[in-house]
Amino acid sequence: QVQLVESGGGLVQPGGSLRLSCAASGSIFSINAMGWYRQAPGKQRELVATITNSGRTNYADSVKGRFTISRDNAKKTVYLQMDSLNPEDTAVYYCNADVLVLSSGRFRNYWGQGTQVTVSS
């Protein structure tokens, strides 16, 4: 099995920063794209940022210039550095990864459990 374990969520004041981490573990042969999504109350889940295995990144317009996605392939971990946070960033943030599972030899998509990010004064 494959698990995505997130950390780093919490409460922060407007203008503050947080760094989310998501570590993949289990029967992993390789990981292709990884990303972060978020879902605010009453809204659909939306893409925040993605990063390929080679390091190519993509960001939602709402977070460009403020958020930075990165990954450490050796640690099988993806990060989301969030700066200049505002209340509109409040949401549950979910880690996502496309994984080639070692045990099955099949490519599957996995989600983390979600971590709450609250931006409030």
Side-chain angles (χ1 to χ4, degrees), residues 4-9 18-24 36 77-81 95 113 115:
L4 303 180
V5 181
E6 300 170 325
S7 62
L18 284 174
R19 190 176 80 151
L20 306 182
S21 299
C22 174
W36 291 94
T77 300
V78 63
Y79 306 93
L80 185 67
Q81 178 66 44
C95 177
Q113 77 285 354
T115 184

Side-chain angles (χ1 to χ4, degrees), residues 90-113:
T90 296
V92 177
Y93 284 70
Y94 297 90
C95 177
N96 180 266
D98 295 325
V99 178
L100 182 60
V101 181
L102 181 63
S103 58
S104 68
R106 296 183 178 183
F107 191 77
R108 296 186 183 275
N109 184 261
Y110 291 89
W111 291 91
Q113 77 285 354

Side-chain angles (χ1 to χ4, degrees), residues 4-121:
L4 303 180
V5 181
E6 300 170 325
S7 62
L11 175 65
V12 66
Q13 293 183 335
S17 298
L18 284 174
R19 190 176 80 151
L20 306 182
S21 299
C22 174
S25 62
S27 300
I28 299 171
F29 180 78
S30 64
I31 304 175
N32 289 337
M34 304 184 78
W36 291 94
Y37 294 71
R38 67 186 182 186
Q39 187 167 20
K43 296 184 178 180
Q44 293 185 328
R45 189 173 299 183
E46 64 176 353
L47 186 148
V48 176
T50 59
I51 184 168
T52 68
N53 191 49
S54 62
R56 178 175 295 186
T57 59
N58 184 50
Y59 298 92
D61 289 340
S62 60
V63 307
K64 284 182 178 178
R66 300 188 298 118
F67 290 10
T68 303
I69 189 170
S70 61
R71 64 190 290 170
D72 185 331
N73 290 333
K75 295 182 178 180
K76 300 184 180 67
T77 300
V78 63
Y79 306 93
L80 185 67
Q81 178 66 44
M82 303 184 293
D83 299 319
S84 301
L85 285 162
N86 58 63
E88 290 70 35
D89 296 315
T90 296
V92 177
Y93 284 70
Y94 297 90
C95 177
N96 180 266
D98 295 325
V99 178
L100 182 60
V101 181
L102 181 63
S103 58
S104 68
R106 296 183 178 183
F107 191 77
R108 296 186 183 275
N109 184 261
Y110 291 89
W111 291 91
Q113 77 285 354
T115 184
Q116 178 70 48
V117 172
T118 302
V119 185
S120 177
S121 60

